Amino acid sequence: MTGGRELVMVSNRLPVDRVVASDGSTSWRTSPGGLVTAVAPIVEQLGCLWVGWVGAADEQLEPFEIGSMRLAPVELSEDDIELYYEGFSNGTLWPLYHDVIARPDFHRVWWDRYRRVNQRFAERVAEQAARGAIVWVHDYQLQLVPAMLRELRPDLTIAFFLHIPFPPSRLFAQLPWRKSVVEGLLGADVIGFQQVTDAVAFRMTAERFTRVPALGNTIVVPGTADHPSRTVLAQEFPISIDAAAFAEVAARPEIQQRAREIRAELGNPKTVMLGVDRLDYTKGIRHRLKAFDELLGDGEIDPADIVFVQVASPSRERVDAYRQLRDEVELTVGRINGEHGSIGHAPLVYLHRGHTRDEMVALYLAADVLLVTPLRDGMNLVAKEYVACRADEQGVLVLSEFAGAADELRDALLVNPHDIEGLKAAIVRAAHMPREEQRRRMRSLRRTVYDNDVAHWATGYLGAVRAAAESQRPSQTGHRTEPIQVSTAFVPRSIDDRVRRLAALPQLIVASDFDGTLAPIVPRPQDARILPRARQALEVLRSAPDTYVAVLTGRSLEGLAETGLQSEGWIVSGSHGSELTGLDVGAVAGAGEAPPLGSPLTDEEHERLQRIARRFERVLGGEPGVRLERKPFGIAVHTRQVADSEQADELMAAAVELGLAAEMHVREGKQVREFSVRDSNKGSVLRSIRAALPNAPVLFLGDDVTDEDVFTSLGHDDLGIKVGDGATAAVERVPDPETATAVLALLAELRTGIIIGSE
Ligand code: ADP
Ligand code: G6P
């Protein structure tokens, strides 16, 4: 997977911690946290050199081996631990990157030590890594290492992965050393994030504080006298677990026996609820206990029926916010049991220690409900572990919307942990969920976790890293040469001629569909990304005089933004022409008597939309596989996931009937119908856009049936290009988004003289 190159891991902690007992004897145990859970199984297979701290102060140890890994310890003194680890890493960055749930402290001595310790890590790697190795740096404690390492060893390919969220730019802006942190990260060839929002936030932050432009997922770091320019891929790669390994433990008879014992030890209550977290203020443990306490107090749950087991592994115990949390949690646990327990029965069991993997899995099997309610979490692997273990398709996962895992685990009971009433309702619902519903949800969750396990993740992430490594062309100075080459060879002859004519016109409108045209189609819509070269071409065109760039998409503007598309200065229409930004079309009315284009919903429309939403929810909401997607001006009904195709057709027919009865406009797609209160389409919005701009010919590219409304509206001087197969009114055709991009690049180059780089 690493293309035969040596792999070097770098993280604050090694995958094992050295534990010194009171009698002075030492032993090793697995390090805490999700980083090791996710990453260790991959590198155990691949073999690697791992550089990190052993978890205890002032330990000077020679490199040693465990299995296929060679571990090279980095020493941390008591002062380093206080200033770099507890201070800057966990007193500044951790709270800042987790939505400032706790107040971050900014101290110059902490920062100073953070830099020095990062330098020490970089030097240790530089000493140890083989020539041309792939070095993979982990997490917020080591954000300066990529640039420091590049300086020391330009021959290495450097990857970075942030296991925690990246904060929105307005929060990151608080950090006095923000520019240095971004520059540190930009030393990497690939920067991986947990979620789209993290990657988008980083790219915006990088643009804001270091003025490096981002083209799609790619950031271009300009060259200097000593270093040529380079590109950095900054993209989301949601991390996962070795699902099969958990399943294997869960299948062992002695583990299942242990699960039964755990239930028996708890008094065989009707419901066992479980929480498993590091004792961290980001995990929402206080909120969870409050909800549980109130439910007992209100009499909504009977302490005789339910036991809540909270496993909290000790973490960062000398940091103030953690110490306070521990005191508070322990007080609350005592109070709840004091008020609601009885002799021989405590409704709340609190275990403040680490457990073996086997014991964790037995707990997962024993639990009817798992509560994962962080206020903010990069991913949360506990949620995925629970699902991976439940081969019996039973058990309910209650999951915070603010955990990265919520992006994937849509069939969990999703909650906002700040909403205590909502959390209470979810707990009650989970405790009473019928077995059949549990099965349906768990089945779908398991599919997601197995389809997206850590091997899948490693293929994507390490695949990107390997691609970066392959593109390295070391020159004599040891620096790679700039890979950008121009190629418009793709563009078919007949289109080439037409594009040359358009490029020479005084005014021009360049318009395009998004999915399938600028961005290749991917299985999950939120994963779609504009091709970097297409984005660059459109950006160059937008900056050219008398040239207007418009994107016309069926997505809502919000859905488009989720792809990370940066379209400042572009005209963008969403929801098939119902939404418009980037152009004031004034009082230009929509079709017929409709309200003006781009105007918000009228009261009447809002009311109508609410009515049909309620009706769809009632009639179709409980149907397995049907997805109702709320759009700004309507609702889309998706039946792609309905297992039986005949049933899918019937359900869709029912939806159409309901929609027509409510006077909605229906738009047809592949296994989706959109019901909209406004009668707009891409053709009508393009007409309005043209009317608001100086008279100019249009180049339009599109791949979908809905793009035909544009193609049929084009005149003699315009050029319509269909992307892909299928009947069309367009005069030209290209096979795929890559060729569509080549057309845009050619146009941009001819119109401006600026060369558009290849991807
Ligand atoms: P974080 O990385 O913030 O700690 P995750 O949920 O992503 O959170 O990962 C936590 C990992 O630590 C999981 O693999 C979980 O099984 C493990 N873990 C949590 N608590 C304990 C515990 N008390 N004993 C052993 N392992 C634990
Ligand atoms: C989270 C972080 C890791 C960290 C782990 C344990 O998973 O993302 O980087 O190692 O928590 O925290 P600790 O401070 O004990 O290393």
Side-chain angles (χ1 to χ4, degrees):
M1 227 180 263
T2 52
R5 293 164 197 254
E6 186 194 45
L7 178 63
V8 184
M9 306 298 267
V10 196
S11 61
N12 173 55
R13 273 182 199 279
L14 285 171
V16 286
D17 264 358
R18 189 168 159 90
V19 191
V20 185
S22 48
D23 64 0
S25 63
T26 59
S27 57
W28 295 99
R29 68 158 182 228
T30 307
S31 297
L35 187 162
V36 168
T37 306
V39 173
I42 307 168
V43 293
E44 273 162 13
Q45 266 183 24
L46 295 175
C48 76
L49 166 69
W50 197 321
V51 176
W53 171 48
V54 293
D58 296 310
E59 295 269 8
Q60 264 187 331
L61 296 172
E62 288 304 311
F64 58 101
E65 300 204 349
I66 294 186
S68 56
M69 297 189 280
R70 194 158 72 90
L71 308 187
V74 174
E75 186 188 340
L76 293 188
S77 67
E78 269 296 345
D79 276 358
D80 293 332
I81 294 175
E82 184 188 332
L83 304 173
Y84 146 78
Y85 168 69
E86 293 167 348
F88 198 75
S89 298
N90 291 310
T92 306
L93 294 173
W94 182 269
L96 182 66
Y97 282 31
H98 285 90
D99 283 357
V100 298
I101 295 166
R103 194 180 61 114
D105 288 323
F106 302 111
H107 296 298
R108 283 164 287 184
V109 282
W110 288 3
W111 162 250
D112 194 45
R113 188 61 65 109
Y114 182 81
R115 253 186 337 157
R116 280 161 49 195
V117 172
N118 270 244
Q119 184 68 36
R120 194 180 312 153
F121 272 82
E123 282 166 9
R124 174 54 56 91
V125 177
E127 279 161 23
Q128 301 269 333
R131 188 160 181 81
I134 289 179
V135 181
W136 182 0
V137 185
H138 292 269
D139 233 0
Y140 61 101
Q141 304 94 337
L142 300 176
Q143 294 174 99
L144 307 181
V145 169
M148 290 171 166
L149 195 53
R150 179 169 296 281
E151 205 51 47
L152 294 167
R153 290 284 304 272
D155 59 297
L156 301 173
T157 297
I158 305 171
F160 181 89
F161 190 84
L162 186 68
H163 293 256
I164 67 173
F166 191 84
S169 191
R170 75 191 148 73
L171 290 183
F172 186 77
Q174 291 180 12
L175 187 68
W177 309 281
R178 60 201 185 188
K179 188 161 179 277
S180 305
V181 169
V182 172
E183 286 170 348
L185 290 169
L186 287 175
D189 297 289
V190 175
I191 311 178
F193 297 90
Q194 298 280 28
Q195 285 186 275
V196 180
T197 42
D198 303 319
V200 171
F202 175 74
R203 294 196 298 260
M204 284 175 62
T205 300
E207 246 177 322
R208 181 165 162 202
F209 297 119
T210 59
R211 311 226 159 275
V212 290
L215 307 170
N217 293 334
T218 307
I219 295 174
V220 183
V221 180
T224 61
D226 302 326
H227 302 286
S229 73
R230 2 176 246 113
T231 55
V232 178
L233 179 71
Q235 194 185 317
E236 68 289 350
F237 295 93
I239 208 164
S240 195
I241 54 162
D242 185 350
F246 276 90
E248 204 185 300
V249 179
R252 295 208 322 250
E254 73 273 20
I255 302 292
Q256 296 182 0
Q257 174 56 25
R258 175 67 194 136
R260 285 190 287 276
E261 277 165 29
I262 292 173
R263 287 192 76 99
E265 284 163 17
L266 296 171
N268 279 323
K270 274 197 196 132
T271 308
V272 174
M273 287 202 313
L274 177 68
V276 175
D277 312 82
R278 272 186 310 100
L279 189 48
D280 194 301
Y281 52 81
T282 57
K283 302 288 182 182
I285 300 172
R286 290 183 177 109
H287 295 64
R288 207 179 295 166
L289 290 178
K290 189 171 175 56
F292 185 62
D293 186 19
E294 287 189 15
L295 285 169
L296 289 167
D298 301 346
E300 283 201 55
I301 53 177
D302 183 342
D305 287 347
I306 199 160
V307 176
F308 176 23
V309 180
Q310 175 64 55
V311 178
S313 43
S315 191
R316 307 172 193 164
E317 296 205 285
R318 299 196 312 192
V319 178
D320 275 348
Y322 289 77
R323 218 192 314 239
Q324 281 167 19
L325 174 71
R326 179 174 175 186
D327 290 348
E328 204 181 309
V329 166
E330 291 183 355
L331 262 172
T332 311
V333 170
R335 190 178 52 68
I336 292 177
N337 278 333
E339 282 174 19
H340 304 289
S342 56
I343 293 175
H345 182 73
L348 182 52
V349 175
Y350 171 71
L351 302 169
H352 182 241
R353 57 170 185 270
H355 293 277
T356 60
R357 166 76 58 94
D358 288 5
E359 184 72 358
M360 296 295 297
V361 172
L363 278 161
Y364 291 142
L365 293 181
D368 303 294
V369 178
L370 180 77
L371 296 179
V372 179
T373 60
L375 307 178
R376 192 82 174 91
D377 208 332
M379 173 54 66
N380 197 290
L381 296 181
V382 167
K384 293 188 172 182
E385 291 170 4
Y386 180 60
V387 170
C389 291
R390 298 309 300 246
D392 58 353
E393 298 181 340
Q394 291 298 293
V396 184
L397 173 63
V398 175
L399 179 61
S400 162
E401 292 165 20
F402 304 114
D407 269 12
E408 296 167 73
L409 303 180
R410 305 305 294 173
D411 267 309
L413 285 186
L414 294 177
V415 291
N416 167 3
H418 297 279
D419 170 12
I420 300 294
E421 287 306 322
L423 190 50
K424 284 159 65 180
I427 291 174
V428 172
R429 181 152 177 230
H432 294 99
M433 188 178 283
R435 295 179 78 78
E436 202 32 57
E437 186 180 350
Q438 293 188 34
R439 177 160 296 121
R440 180 179 66 72
R441 287 177 182 271
M442 188 52 84
R443 201 174 276 169
S444 137
L445 292 171
R446 286 174 62 74
R447 224 178 359 248
T448 307
V449 169
Y450 278 83
D451 286 352
N452 301 288
D453 69 351
V454 80
H456 171 89
W457 175 78
T459 310
Y461 181 69
L462 287 179
V465 175
R466 199 187 42 192
E470 310 288 76
S471 77
Q472 281 192 347
R473 302 264 178 280
S475 66
Q476 276 141 359
T477 58
H479 294 129
R480 74 198 58 183
T481 53
E482 185 47 35
I484 292 174
Q485 289 170 11
V486 180
S487 160
T488 50
F490 268 92
V491 180
R493 186 81 230 153
S494 62
I495 300 183
D496 187 287
D497 289 346
R498 287 171 185 267
V499 168
R500 281 172 197 280
R501 274 203 295 280
L502 283 180
L505 294 171
Q507 273 146 352
L508 183 62
I509 299 171
V510 182
S512 176
D513 165 50
F514 182 75
D515 292 279
T517 303
L518 299 176
I521 298 285
V522 289
R524 302 188 321 156
Q526 67 268 36
D527 294 337
R529 295 290 173 274
I530 189 169
L531 290 168
R533 192 161 175 237
R535 147 112 183 130
Q536 196 186 359
L538 289 176
E539 197 49 34
V540 165
L541 283 164
R542 196 240 348 153
S543 314
D546 299 313
T547 313
Y548 305 90
V549 166
V551 171
L552 316 180
T553 174
R555 285 176 184 255
S556 65
L557 292 180
E558 206 184 324
L560 189 64
E562 274 172 15
T563 70
L565 181 71
Q566 286 167 15
S567 56
E568 294 87 72
W570 302 7
I571 301 162
V572 184
S573 165
S575 302
H576 299 286
S578 299
E579 296 177 288
L580 184 67
T581 108
L583 180 70
D584 184 8
V585 291
V588 184
E593 298 287 292
L597 189 61
S599 64
L601 283 171
T602 64
D603 288 348
E604 185 277 326
E605 287 174 327
H606 178 73
E607 181 50 34
R608 200 143 46 96
L609 193 50
Q610 290 298 94
R611 235 184 358 254
I612 189 76
R614 281 195 300 271
R615 194 160 297 175
F616 278 162
E617 191 51 52
R618 215 171 23 245
V619 178
L620 301 167
E623 293 292 343
V626 174
R627 189 163 71 84
L628 301 175
E629 183 194 2
R630 188 66 185 254
K631 297 241 174 160
F633 292 84
I635 295 175
V637 178
H638 300 261
T639 54
R640 191 179 295 269
Q641 310 279 354
V642 176
D644 180 283
S645 69
E646 214 168 286
Q647 198 191 356
D649 291 348
E650 278 170 23
L651 289 168
M652 197 58 104
V656 170
E657 210 149 291
L658 289 172
L660 292 177
E663 293 176 29
M664 305 291 283
H665 301 279
V666 186
R667 193 174 295 108
E668 187 170 343
K670 285 181 202 145
Q671 292 168 302
V672 55
R673 296 284 186 292
E674 282 206 37
F675 299 85
S676 174
V677 288
R678 288 214 183 146
D679 184 16
S680 61
N681 62 44
K682 291 185 183 181
S684 65
V685 77
L686 183 64
R687 271 195 295 279
S688 303
I689 291 171
R690 294 184 89 153
L693 292 176
N695 186 18
V698 170
L699 164 69
F700 179 77
L701 297 124
D703 76 310
D704 207 345
V705 193
T706 56
D707 297 315
E708 292 304 312
D709 291 322
V710 176
F711 292 133
T712 52
S713 78
L714 296 179
H716 192 66
D717 294 334
D718 306 320
L719 173 58
I721 304 180
K722 163 92 175 170
V723 182
D725 299 332
T728 183
V731 294
E732 291 287 355
R733 187 189 298 272
V734 293
D736 49 32
E738 286 72 21
T739 319
T741 296
V743 171
L744 290 171
L746 174 64
L747 179 65
E749 287 170 12
L750 292 169
R751 195 156 175 86
T752 65
I754 297 173
I755 302 299
I756 311 298
S758 65
E759 280 153 35

